[in-house]
Amino acid sequence: MLFHTSDGAPVDDSTMLANSEEYMREHLRSVIESLEKDCKISLYGIGLHFRVNEYFPHSLQVDSAPEASRVVCEYVVELLTAT
C-alpha cells in the first residue's frame, strides 16, 4: 500500500515557468497511472483540506487537521480489513 498525502495541487514555480501550467498535474497523473499498472502496489491519495479524488481513484479528504491522524488511521484499518 502506498499513500500519497497532499495539502494542495502540485505546484513548483520554477517548473511552471519552464513548462506549461499543466505540466506538474500531468506528471502526477502519469506517475499515478504507471503505479496503478503495477499489480503489487495499491495506491491511495489522502488530501488535507484538498480533494485528491481528481488524481487518485482511491482517496480520502480530511477537512480537520486535528482529526487527521484519527481519520487516516481509521481509513487504513478499513482498507486493511477489507482485503
Side-chain angles (χ1 to χ4, degrees), residues 36-68:
E36 287 183 334
K37 288 180 182 177
D38 184 341
C39 62
K40 296 178 184 174
I41 296 175
S42 298
L43 184 61
Y44 302 90
I46 299 172
L48 182 58
H49 299 289
F50 180 69
R51 290 182 310 139
V52 293
N53 62 339
E54 175 184 344
Y55 303 100
F56 298 89
H58 308 286
S59 64
L60 170 72
Q61 180 178 339
V62 181
D63 292 321
S64 170
E67 295 183 12

Side-chain angles (χ1 to χ4, degrees), residues 60 62 64-77:
L60 170 72
V62 181
S64 170
E67 295 183 12
S69 59
R70 179 188 58 78
V71 171
V72 170
C73 285
E74 289 174 356
Y75 181 59
V76 171
V77 166

